[in-house]
Amino acid sequence: MQARGIVVRTRVVDASGAPVPGLRVLAYRNDDMTGHAASVSGKTGADGIAELAVDEPGRYFLLARERLGGPAEGEWYGKFGGSKDHAVAVGSAGTGEPVRIVVERR
């Protein structure tokens, strides 16, 4: 099934660069990345790849985690590190190449 909206491709890896399966990527419109996410991906595959769809172009603050809701203690967790504020600019064509998010156990 094709995702609706603008597709943001992500690749979730650990510190050594190995893909981490079974995580979800969340896109927030607010920089504190709390509350309801604007979009949530399906789980990453064995290759660490996940796609999520956002409604419109703009800046989105991305994080990847193992579970949804609650404290992230003991789970895989990480924010997009390609910008100081963890935001990625999403154009009308999406992001093209996967956005890399590095995660670690909290």
Side-chain angles (χ1 to χ4, degrees):
M1 183 171 179
Q2 184 80 8
R4 292 186 178 170
I6 300 167
V7 175
V8 177
R9 296 193 67 216
T10 62
R11 183 164 192 263
V12 179
V13 298
D14 65 16
S16 71
V20 181
L23 275 62
R24 294 184 190 273
V25 177
L26 294 80
Y28 290 90
R29 295 306 298 236
N30 57 326
D31 63 356
D32 64 358
M33 294 187 249
T34 59
H36 293 287
S39 183
V40 178
S41 75
K43 291 184 178 181
T44 54
D47 56 2
I49 299 287
E51 292 184 348
L52 58 102
V54 296
D55 292 334
E56 59 188 11
R59 289 172 51 81
Y60 291 88
F61 303 89
L62 303 181
L63 67 82
R65 64 183 296 183
E66 205 167 352
R67 296 183 298 267
L68 299 177
E73 293 174 25
E75 71 175 280
W76 285 104
Y77 181 95
K79 296 178 181 178
F80 170 64
S83 68
K84 197 174 212 178
D85 64 359
H86 311 291
V88 63
V90 178
S92 59
T95 55
E97 289 295 312
V99 174
R100 187 172 181 259
I101 301 174
V102 179
V103 296
E104 63 184 13
R105 285 271 181 206
R106 287 193 131 197

